Amino acid sequence: MNKLNLTINYESYKSLAGLNDEDKALCSQAEQALKTSYSPYSNFKVGTAIRLNNGKVVMGSNQENVAYPSGLCAERVALFTIGSAFPDAVIESMAITAQTDNFKIMNPVTSCGACLQVMAEFELKQKKEIEVLFYCLNGEVIKIKGIKSLLPFAFFEGRLAV
């Protein structure tokens, strides 16, 4: 038996003030995406903004449905939009934030496993890591390079692509 250890590297900022202008703008756009969230059941709004290598920014927000499994997270809304509207674009970075009137969110909200798996697939497809900013409104920002830091055992099966 081998015992192994995983280590991840990330940057932590107390606020947006520590980020460069490009990252600040992306976080601001993720905040704007909150306005299109359809979340009447959870009242938990999530917004994301994704910057592409062609300069475009694609935004997404969570979309709920009374049949709960039928909804979709903000990250996948934006990622699938990119897949269909900009299939050859490369994702440079993405910012994700959340807001609710039910309680104060104290820390950045991270992506669910399904969203991480989709992000990992995009990295594989584009052969380039994605920089992710998890932004807590008026608070901390976590910046990570590459989805493998968040989902080290992502599912990939090369034989399915044959």
Side-chain angles (χ1 to χ4, degrees):
M1 174 181 76
N2 293 322
K3 285 189 177 186
L4 305 171
N5 185 32
L6 291 172
T7 303
I8 65 167
N9 295 309
Y10 64 96
E11 298 172 9
S12 176
Y13 300 86
K14 290 190 185 295
S15 70
L16 291 178
L19 299 176
N20 65 38
D21 290 342
E22 197 171 48
D23 287 345
K24 285 180 195 172
L26 198 62
C27 287
S28 177
Q29 289 169 302
E31 197 170 330
Q32 291 299 310
L34 293 170
K35 295 176 183 175
T36 63
S37 170
Y38 179 71
S39 48
Y41 309 104
S42 70
N43 194 32
F44 193 83
K45 301 173 189 303
V46 180
T48 189
I50 301 176
R51 185 175 53 246
L52 305 176
N53 66 335
N54 62 10
K56 293 195 181 300
V57 173
V58 175
M59 298 193 307
S61 60
N62 59 321
Q63 302 296 310
E64 293 180 349
N65 188 281
V66 70
Y68 287 111
S70 301
L72 200 59
C73 300
E75 297 93 323
R76 285 181 282 157
V77 167
L79 289 164
F80 294 150
T81 297
I82 291 165
S84 63
F86 307 102
D88 298 323
V90 173
I91 297 170
E92 296 290 333
S93 60
M94 59 192 298
I96 302 151
T97 195
Q99 188 275 326
T100 183
D101 294 332
N102 295 341
F103 53 88
K104 182 174 170 75
I105 299 173
M106 304 297 288
N107 299 298
V109 174
T110 57
S111 301
C112 74
C115 288
L116 292 175
Q117 180 65 47
V118 172
M119 293 170 174
E121 182 86 10
F122 269 83
E123 281 189 344
L124 181 69
K125 176 184 165 191
Q126 68 185 29
K127 297 178 179 67
K128 183 176 189 241
E129 291 181 322
I130 299 170
E131 182 179 88
V132 183
L133 299 148
F134 297 109
Y135 164 45
C136 183
L137 295 177
N138 302 310
E140 182 184 5
V141 180
I142 295 172
K143 185 177 188 178
I144 216 157
K145 182 83 169 169
I147 305 310
K148 283 190 179 184
S149 292
L150 298 166
L151 189 66
F153 297 107
F155 175 75
F156 294 115
E157 178 48 74
R159 294 173 293 182
L160 292 174
V162 180

